[in-house]
Each structure stands twice: as structure tokens, then as C-alpha cells.
Amino acid sequence: MGRTSPHLGGVLRFPDGFGWGVATASYQIEGAVREGGRGESIWDRFAHTDGNVLGGDTGDVACDHYHRYRDDVALMAELGVTDYRFSLAWPRLQPDGTGELNPAGLDFYSRLIDELLAADIVPWVTLYHWDLPQRLEDSGGWPERDTAHRFADYATRVHERLADRVQHWSTLNEPWCSAFLGYAEGRHAPGRRDHAAAFRAAHHLLLGHGLAVQGMRANDRDSSFGITLNLYPVDPASDTEQDRDVARRIDGLMNRLFLDPLLRGSYPADVLDDVAPVLDASHLQADDAEIISQPLDFLGVNYYTRHVVTAGPQPRVWTPDQPTSSWVGSADMVQVKRGLPTTDMGWEVDPAGLHEVLTRLHREYGPIPLYVTENGAAYPDGVDSDGQVRDPERVRYLAEHFRAAHQAIADGVDLRGYFVWTLLDNFEWAWGYSKRFGLVHVDYGTQRRTPKDSARWFARTARAGGLDAGEWVR
Ligand code: FCB
């Protein structure tokens, strides 16, 4: 790598008050899965079932953040982090997914929040980043309507206890993944493969979001409430009618199935038509649309790559015996690689896609304050013999995506902050510990944390409030 264009001078300055954050999730870093009265989550059960996670890895210990949170907060402060997005483990707070909050769980998050505030870091709570209490899955999980009510109850109780110190509340992280990877493809917990269940799950996740926002806002009108979606530009590989239709379907399932009910108050008609032959609408109730479309104070965008899709050999009409991924919108079956550099996940690096996602939201769904709640890259980093972790690809990845975000702001998008995924190398779901996304390297044997070059670069960028205009321009 290296600079390949002239140094332009000057700094791409982000607006005053722009948030320079990092993001994490409970199951990926906390460990201590049997401490403090925590109940079992679907990810505990899933990871402990043979064949689900690469290498048989589990989140049992992860980054041991439950015990090391003070050091981790101190590390964030050193890195110039202004905002920290983290999730609460529902089964730590309600071990069975219902009833009174568990005092030990509450105490842990309360201490974490105090530590953050003392370090002058703004806490951003995500109420659900995939670790459903197993007990609720045993009663049917997200495909059941009652789970939405359980979620709203949990959210309201927790918010009541922590809202004195936390202003920013996000209900769900990436409901597409919960619904489709968890219930249709079985690649994530709870590992079911049932297409119709996935659609019901998607609806009840959205309903749970709406009920939770209603409940929390009724108690406190000062908090700000939002949700985080994983969004992608979806382009047809060619201009044929078939390719354009596949792109429409996948954009419908991955983006609009969530954006439209949240921000426009109804499901996209074309997606409902697509699924009508296989899915009855008996789980949709009259008032749901209104509940789901509660006004939002912000929308969180997780961006990693773009999908370029082709009709391929698969039939255009879904039948129940087809593999889910050929239809439900997993890019695997239909994604076309364009020969761009890829990360260790095999995801093509496409910063222009971030600009496209942000400007599309502004144009088609705005105005709404936006945050990039996740963006980052996995590379196979190691500690060199001199103790340094050199990760120039990640620096370049981030610089290019920051530039794309800066351009979106210049184009009028109300983008207020950016959370890098992620602070620490951690448990990357079905990939276990094999993928390293952190700004900070973790030696899982010793739990030693080593800031990578990208961490120092991030600190400089955050402190400067922007980046050098000439940096890593292709
Ligand atoms: C997102 C997840 C996050 C992390 C990144 C790489 O889909 O929200 O937990 O795994 O991908």
C-alpha cells in the first residue's frame, strides 16, 4: 500500500461534535457466561452444539471483558474514543427473558456506564445484539408474537434503571441477521431453517422494536431512540431484466423490508407480492404498522460491502424445497465478485457503497439523523517480534470509508458519528476467533491487548476531528 496520489494538503474536517466511536457486542467480548446469575442465551446453546462455530469456539471466555472492563475503558480513553456503542446481554438482565431484573447484571452494566462517564466517553446502549434468552427460544423465539412483548418489557425495565446516565438507546442490531441468518439459513443462533419462521421473526423483531420505543419513550421523553440496520447497495450484475429483478428482490429483503415499515409505516408492496405465494400474513395485525413506525431520533447504519447480484441458475419463484439462501437474500448464491481487494471475510472493499447507502437514506427516507454504527475490516493480524501489530490494510480501509462518509456529509447527509467495528479482536459468530476485526489485538491465551497501528491512526484522526485529505486516495 502507500499513497498513490499527490498529497493534497489540508484536513477533511468532520463537523464539530462528530462522534468518534467504537462498537462491540456482549456475547462477542464479555465471557463470564455463567457468572452473576446470567441465564443461557441462544448463542451459548448454538456455539456449544458441534459443527456450528468454526473450531468449536464459544463465547465462554471471549475477551473476558466482564472482568476487564475497567482496563478496556481506559484503553478507549487512550485511543481518543468519544462514544462507545455496546450491547446488553438480555440473559444477564433477565436470565429467563421475563420478570424482575437480575441485580448482578444491572450492577455490571451500571459500573461499566459509570466508568465510561468518568472517562468522558458517551455510552450508546444496544438492547439486543442477538443473545436471546434460551428460555424464550424454547417458547418459540422471535417467530412468536409474545417475544416482541417480552423484549419491550425487558427494554422498558432496563431503560428505567439506566436512563439517568444513558441518553442514546438503540433497540436492535441488524434484525435481518437475527431473522434470516438465525431462522432461515441456520448459520447463526438459534440455527433453524424455516423460511416462513424467518419472516415472522423479522416482523416480531420490528414489532418488539416499536413496542420498546413506545414503552421507553412513555417513561422518558429526553432519551434518544433508534435502531441499527445492516444496509447494502444491491446492484444487478448486468442490465438484463432477470438481473435487475434479482437486485430488486434482494434489495427488498435486505434493505427495504426493514426501512419501509420503520420509516414509512408499511412493508414494500413488491416484497409482499414476492413472498405471498409461500407466506400467509396471519401474523400481521392491524395496528402493527403504526407501532413499528414510531418516530426515531436516529438510524444506525452498519456498512461493510456492496452486493452485486445475478439471476444465476436458480428459479425466480421460490418453492419450499429450495435452499433458503437462493431466495431469502443471502448473497452467497447470487453474488458476483468484481475482483476488488477483499478483507479476510472475503468481502469486497467498496467505500463508495457507504456513500451510496448514506445518500440513499437521506434522499429516500430522510430527513433523519444518521450514525455509522459499524464499519471495519478483518485482516489476519499478528504481533511482530518487536511487539507491534502492523495493519496497513485496515488503516487504508478505514481512511477510505471515512472519506466516503465525509463526502456524504458534504452532500447534505445528516451524519453525526461513526463507530468503528470494533475495539477488540473478538468472537466473530460462526467464524469463532478466526477473524480479527479489532483496532486492538487480543492474545486469547493471555488476554493481552496490543493496540494495532490502526488504533494509533484512529486516535490521531479522532483527536484531529478529521483526516488528512491526501491520505490513501487511490
Ligand atoms: C455485523 C455484526 C457484528 C460483527 C460484524 C463483523 O454483522 O453486527 O457483531 O460481527 O458484523
Side-chain angles (χ1 to χ4, degrees):
M1 65 155 280
R3 295 177 186 184
T4 55
S5 76
H7 177 75
L8 302 174
V11 165
L12 288 183
R13 192 168 296 289
F14 283 70
D16 284 348
F18 192 79
W20 296 96
V22 291
T24 65
S26 46
Y27 190 70
Q28 295 182 276
I29 64 166
E30 283 181 7
V33 294
R34 280 174 281 277
E35 288 180 52
R38 178 183 176 282
E40 188 188 16
S41 82
I42 55 174
W43 267 95
D44 296 299
R45 180 73 62 93
F46 185 78
H48 277 273
T49 306
D50 280 354
N52 284 338
V53 176
L54 194 68
D57 291 347
T58 73
D60 286 4
V61 178
C63 304
D64 195 32
H65 172 75
Y66 184 78
H67 298 115
R68 294 167 195 263
Y69 72 94
R70 283 202 176 85
D71 294 344
D72 291 339
V73 172
L75 193 53
M76 281 189 254
E78 272 170 42
L79 298 185
V81 167
T82 62
D83 296 71
Y84 177 47
R85 170 179 181 255
F86 61 100
S87 78
L88 310 182
W90 184 351
R92 237 185 238 302
L93 289 157
Q94 279 183 327
D96 293 333
T98 175
E100 292 295 307
L101 295 183
N102 167 30
L106 202 55
D107 180 55
F108 168 65
Y109 292 115
S110 194
R111 283 182 281 120
L112 170 61
I113 289 162
D114 285 343
E115 199 73 17
L116 289 165
L117 294 175
D120 214 12
I121 296 173
V122 180
W124 288 68
V125 163
T126 297
L127 286 155
Y128 184 73
H129 198 130
W130 307 353
D131 37 5
L132 185 72
Q134 179 64 39
R135 193 63 74 83
L136 294 184
E137 175 59 21
D138 296 342
S139 318
W142 286 110
E144 290 302 317
R145 193 174 179 90
D146 186 54
T147 304
H149 290 284
R150 299 275 61 77
F151 176 69
D153 170 72
Y154 148 71
T156 311
R157 287 175 192 259
V158 172
H159 173 266
E160 213 169 282
R161 301 298 298 274
L162 300 177
D164 58 334
R165 285 160 296 151
V166 176
Q167 205 207 331
H168 306 283
W169 293 82
S170 180
T171 52
L172 307 174
N173 176 72
E174 303 189 353
W176 180 87
C177 293
S178 300
F180 291 104
L181 298 182
Y183 289 94
E185 298 185 25
R187 286 198 275 150
H188 279 187
R192 285 206 239 164
R193 292 192 168 83
D194 175 346
H195 322 294
F199 279 96
R200 288 199 304 275
H203 181 69
H204 296 139
L205 282 151
L206 288 167
L207 183 66
H209 154 83
L211 291 167
V213 171
Q214 271 185 340
M216 294 188 288
R217 198 174 263 146
N219 287 342
D220 164 24
R221 309 202 71 81
D222 296 334
S223 296
S224 86
F225 300 106
I227 185 170
T228 277
L229 303 178
N230 49 317
L231 300 171
Y232 312 79
V234 183
D235 296 346
S238 80
D239 206 30
T240 61
E241 197 194 324
Q242 290 88 334
D243 281 3
R244 279 190 281 121
D245 192 54
V246 166
R248 175 192 63 75
R249 282 171 184 260
I250 294 187
D251 177 55
L253 288 163
M254 300 194 83
N255 297 322
R256 293 181 289 116
L257 185 66
F258 297 90
L259 287 169
D260 282 25
L262 288 165
L263 297 168
R264 292 182 173 165
S266 60
Y267 282 113
D270 62 315
V271 178
L272 291 186
D273 283 353
D274 290 344
V275 301
V278 291
L279 185 70
D280 71 47
S282 57
H283 61 296
L284 307 180
Q285 295 187 10
D287 296 339
D288 290 359
E290 198 190 322
I291 296 170
I292 292 170
S293 58
Q294 295 305 303
L296 292 182
D297 298 305
F298 66 91
L299 176 67
V301 177
N302 291 358
Y303 175 77
Y304 289 95
T305 191
R306 177 195 306 269
H307 295 317
V308 179
V309 297
T310 184
Q314 81 274 15
R316 293 179 57 209
V317 177
W318 180 79
T319 56
D321 54 336
Q322 254 180 261
T324 308
S325 54
S326 68
W327 191 83
V328 167
S330 159
D332 295 338
M333 290 292 288
V334 289
Q335 180 140 20
V336 174
K337 296 283 182 192
R338 292 160 295 157
L340 296 177
T342 55
T343 69
D344 201 27
M345 300 295 282
W347 299 343
E348 288 189 329
V349 178
D350 192 335
L354 175 60
H355 178 264
E356 262 178 66
V357 164
L358 295 173
T359 50
R360 177 194 191 181
L361 289 172
H362 180 67
R363 210 175 42 244
E364 296 180 20
Y365 295 93
I368 179 166
L370 300 178
Y371 290 83
V372 174
T373 36
E374 284 182 28
N375 172 247
Y379 290 105
D381 313 301
V383 183
D384 290 342
S385 53
D386 62 356
Q388 303 294 309
V389 182
R390 296 179 171 83
D391 59 341
E393 300 93 343
R394 181 172 294 99
V395 172
R396 183 181 183 127
Y397 180 100
L398 291 174
E400 290 180 348
H401 285 78
F402 285 2
R403 288 176 60 84
H406 188 272
Q407 186 58 48
I409 296 172
D411 293 339
V413 174
D414 185 4
L415 180 71
R416 300 191 180 181
Y418 204 117
F419 296 82
V420 170
W421 184 268
T422 179
L423 175 67
L424 304 167
D425 290 340
N426 63 41
F427 177 82
E428 178 47 37
W429 308 114
W431 293 96
Y433 297 99
S434 69
K435 304 294 178 193
R436 294 183 175 273
F437 272 91
L439 292 175
V440 176
H441 181 276
V442 176
D443 176 330
Y444 296 110
T446 61
Q447 291 295 343
R448 189 187 159 91
R449 274 86 161 128
T450 308
K452 304 177 188 177
D453 282 356
S454 58
R456 279 182 279 277
W457 176 86
F458 176 87
R460 279 201 304 280
T461 306
R463 292 205 170 99
L467 67 162
D468 188 307
E471 266 183 307
W472 296 282
V473 183
R474 272 193 235 258

